Each structure stands twice: as C-alpha cells, then as structure tokens.
Amino acid sequence: TQAQLERQEKETARAQLQALQQHVDPHFLFNNLNILASLIDPANTAAHRYAAHLAGLYRYLVRTRRQDVVPVAEELAFARDYAYLLEQRFGAAYQFSIDVQVPEDQLAALLLPPGVLQELLTNAVKHNLASRTRPLRVHLAVTPPAVTLTNTRQPRPVPAEGEGSGLPGLRARFALLTDVPVLVFDQPDQFSVTLPLLSVLALPSVPHADSVA
C-alpha cells in the first residue's frame, strides 16, 4: 500500500509539473521576448527582425497548442519564422525555399495540424550534415492536395540521437483526421515527406466536450 501511495504521489507531482510548464513557459518566454525587443537599440534592425520572428513563433505556439488543425497559411507563416531562425543560426549552411501553388483565396479552406512543418524542418536539420561548401537544401511545395518537404540527403556519419518517433507520430496525427496517408520517399540523393492537406468540409464533426452528457 505504501509503495502504491508513493507511485501515485510521484505521478501526481509529475502531472502537476507538466501542466505548470505547459501553462507558464510559452507565455513567459513570449512576454519576455517583447521586453527584450523594447531594450534593443532601435538602430539594430537585424536584432529587431530576429526578435520579431522569434516572438511570432512563440505567439503561434501559444495560440495553437490546443487546436487540432489550423489554416495552412498560418502554418506556412510559422514555418517561415522557424526557417528564418535556422538560417540566422547556421548561416549559408542551410537554404530554404517555399513554392505555394495554391491561390491565396483557397488557402483558408485547407488545413494542417499545427507544428507539423516545424517537425519536418527539425528532422531535416537533425539528420543531415550541412556546411557553407555543401549546404543542405530544403524545399517546401504546396499544391492543392498536399504539402511536400524535400531535402537533399546528406546523412550524418553517426545517426542523431532520438526516439525515432517523429514520422510515426505524424502518421498517427493524420490518421485521426483523414484516410489519406503520409507518404515518405527515401532516395539516395534526397528525402521527402508528403502531408495531405485537409479540407474544412471533409473534417469529421466532433461534439464539444461540454455538450457530451
């Protein structure tokens, strides 16, 4: 009985800590980024631009952390902020490009789970070598049925540490929303992942928690 009580106490403490981190950290960081921006010399445009992109990234994370899907235009804006931060950190070692082949008025009706493009960008950086002389090229293409992220394949000599749950996790997230699978193409010279775009009209109707008896 004592051992069971100790386990329950540990689980309760862990759950409380996770809830506190999720509730405080994004807001804390975002608010302090605004303070930092106010302290930067107005003439330092590069620093102001970096702070604006970083603040935009955290604003998006705070706003969408409880949403299942977001308009693809918002996810693309988030991906641009994230790619900008990577370029500032690594310089010419990474080259990012985005090609949107969907009319702007149609983007509002197409959805993605929030943060999926960040996951793909992070995986590309994590698993590949990059340098000024041999940059990693990452291309994001948006077409009416899907979003495809393709990167040159330059694997690290020693695989990056991790749980290897990134792609299975993406597949599981999309499986809850659509029957269209996530496609992965692993070729000798390039690696690509294609995510299906979700239509507003095609999403299942899920009752709000407060309306469930």
Side-chain angles (χ1 to χ4, degrees), residues 106-126:
Q106 295 181 20
L107 288 178
L110 298 174
L111 309 170
L112 278 174
V116 293
L117 297 184
Q118 177 197 0
E119 292 184 44
L120 295 183
L121 288 169
T122 300
N123 282 340
V125 172
K126 179 180 180 180

Side-chain angles (χ1 to χ4, degrees), residues 78-161:
F78 174 72
R80 289 189 179 97
D81 282 332
Y82 191 72
Y84 174 86
L85 298 182
L86 291 175
E87 288 175 328
Q88 295 305 302
R89 178 182 177 185
F90 297 108
Y94 292 90
Q95 298 178 2
F96 299 96
S97 60
I98 298 178
D99 179 21
V100 181
Q101 303 173 23
V102 180
E104 187 173 349
D105 60 338
Q106 295 181 20
L107 288 178
L110 298 174
L111 309 170
L112 278 174
V116 293
L117 297 184
Q118 177 197 0
E119 292 184 44
L120 295 183
L121 288 169
T122 300
N123 282 340
V125 172
K126 179 180 180 180
H127 295 290
N128 291 277
L129 291 172
S131 66
R132 290 178 179 270
T133 57
R134 194 187 178 198
L136 183 73
R137 294 180 173 85
V138 182
H139 180 69
L140 184 65
V142 184
T143 60
V147 174
T148 299
L149 188 138
T150 303
N151 61 266
T152 49
R153 199 170 184 279
Q154 301 168 187
R156 298 179 182 274
V158 178
E161 295 182 1

Side-chain angles (χ1 to χ4, degrees), residues 28-56 59:
F28 178 81
L29 290 172
F30 176 68
N31 291 334
N32 281 277
L33 279 172
N34 287 333
I35 295 173
L36 176 62
S38 70
L39 298 174
I40 297 174
D41 187 336
N44 193 339
T45 56
H48 277 286
R49 189 178 301 113
Y50 187 90
H53 281 280
L54 189 56
R59 185 186 300 111

